[in-house]
Amino acid sequence: MQTIDKFNFAGKKAIVRVDFNVPLDENGKITDDTRIRGALPTLKKILADGGALIIMSHMGKPKGKVNAKYSLGQIADAVSEKLGVKVQFVADCAKAQAEAAALKPGEVLLLENLRFYGEEEGKPVGIDKEDPAYEAAKKEMKAKQKDFAKVLASYADCYVNDAFGTAHRKHASTAVIADYFDADNKMLGYLMEKEVKAIDNVLKNAQHPFTAIIGGSKVSSKLAVIKNLLDKVDNLIICGGMGYTFIKAQGGKIGESIHEDDLIPEALNIIAAAKEKGVNLSLSVATVAADAFSNDANRKTVDIFNIPDGWQGMDASEASLENWKKIIMNSKTILWNGPAGVFEFDNFSHGTGEIAKALAEATQKNGCYTLVGGGDSVAAVGKFGLADKVSYVSTGGGAMLEAIEGKVLPGVAAIKGE
Ligand code: AMP
């Protein structure tokens, strides 16, 4: 497999898929530039080698239609500033032939939002899924997707995918385009390499004891993740809102706590599977309950199996945290996805903060490998200022989850040829 480090971009035009789907305020100003900064090492290496850059990305969900609100033109100046090179914006990503042909070493094009074309996602535009004509339209769009990818590929000599946030999508720019480059001329960017390595560190090369901490609101959204991890981990900590389904499944009284009745059979399956596989499944023993879903609600700590009517579990209790900290401090590899409570409310963020701190301590003191993945746990380590104290914080929520489910990511497979 070709790698970005080995590749010399001198005199070459590189088309690079990045994830510049950055949040903007109402004036089009970037409110968080993490994603742009994440792609800089790759972009700078190409320019430093003497290559020329064609940068492409999506922004938001314009669903195949031009929409000024999602124009990448809004961020062209910010990208220029961060790269230290004036970026030339091309207002139609599928009509950049002339600009690409004229591009010289050291120069940079930024293409307009790929998703202004339905071809990017390969989804029919303006036709409902329920419509009988949908399937035929989808087939037609899949064929058009190949043509679109071919046009993008024609701009450059080589292709780099550094957009981990969309690596779980088989889109024109993330996967299909790779078919138009031979194996020596396509590669992952530095950010993608880091993300793939982080996933391998936990899923393929984990040192034991290996602990997964899975939290958040719903069992349903993490079911496949939990099932895949049961074959790999020594300890499985279930925290946050999803834990109440497991307590109810065992006959506990959970008051008004968030839960999914239809997932009770699955929760029981997981409990049984953990026992059979010798996985130490650790649930809450007590919870900080509230009498309303509000930061200012009254609070009390109650036994997890006896949450009073009118009360709901909102945060991890000290007793649960004690158990979990012991497991964390005894682990050599930890994967954390999903908060331990309603951490957006300061009064119920304690448990999530304590887990973040324990992970940081395990990393720093014990040399434990700690991977934090998935939107809300990433926000949590950020909130507690601990992002640089854990081993790796993933930038891709959906992509990370699918990878932990054991799925092959199309964006990675397209390069690796899997
Ligand atoms: P997820 O997107 O599934 O990772 O869930 C994250 C969300 O779960 C956050 O917005 C949390 O506020 C929410 N959450 C965590 N614990 C609870 C709880 N005990 N009750 C309600 N929501 C929760």
Side-chain angles (χ1 to χ4, degrees), residues 215-218 221-222 239-242 244 257-258 287 293 312-315 337-344 376-377:
S217 55
K218 288 184 182 162
S221 62
K222 312 255 168 97
C239 58
M242 70 165 60
Y244 302 100
S257 305
I258 188 169
T287 185
F293 189 77
Q312 57 184 299
M314 296 263 279
D315 196 7
N337 179 291
V342 187
F343 79 105
E344 298 92 334
D376 274 318
S377 25

Side-chain angles (χ1 to χ4, degrees), residues 195-262:
E195 296 276 358
V196 170
K197 187 154 179 262
I199 293 163
D200 284 352
N201 280 346
V202 296
L203 289 190
K204 293 191 183 152
N205 312 316
Q207 292 206 41
H208 293 267
F210 173 16
T211 298
I213 307 170
I214 307 294
S217 55
K218 288 184 182 162
V219 182
S220 51
S221 62
K222 312 255 168 97
L223 191 59
V225 166
I226 294 173
K227 284 186 174 166
N228 191 38
L229 288 171
L230 274 177
D231 284 323
K232 304 185 189 304
V233 298
D234 305 290
N235 306 294
L236 174 62
I237 295 172
I238 301 271
C239 58
M242 70 165 60
Y244 302 100
T245 301
F246 287 80
I247 301 301
K248 188 168 180 189
Q250 296 175 89
K253 261 185 76 214
I254 59 165
E256 319 308 315
S257 305
I258 188 169
H259 66 284
E260 293 163 289
D261 282 328
D262 52 334

Side-chain angles (χ1 to χ4, degrees), residues 8-59:
N8 185 354
F9 290 90
K12 306 254 182 193
K13 289 173 190 168
I15 186 153
V16 187
R17 175 57 155 106
V18 294
D19 180 4
F20 281 178
N21 183 26
V22 288
L24 303 176
D25 66 15
E26 60 279 7
N27 301 315
K29 280 245 164 313
I30 299 169
T31 55
D32 180 352
D33 65 358
T34 312
R35 287 178 172 156
I36 298 179
R37 284 189 284 111
L40 287 180
T42 291
L43 303 179
K44 286 190 169 168
K45 142 86 177 165
I46 294 168
L47 291 177
D49 272 5
L53 266 179
I54 300 151
I55 304 174
M56 58 177 173
S57 177
H58 77 285
M59 179 182 273

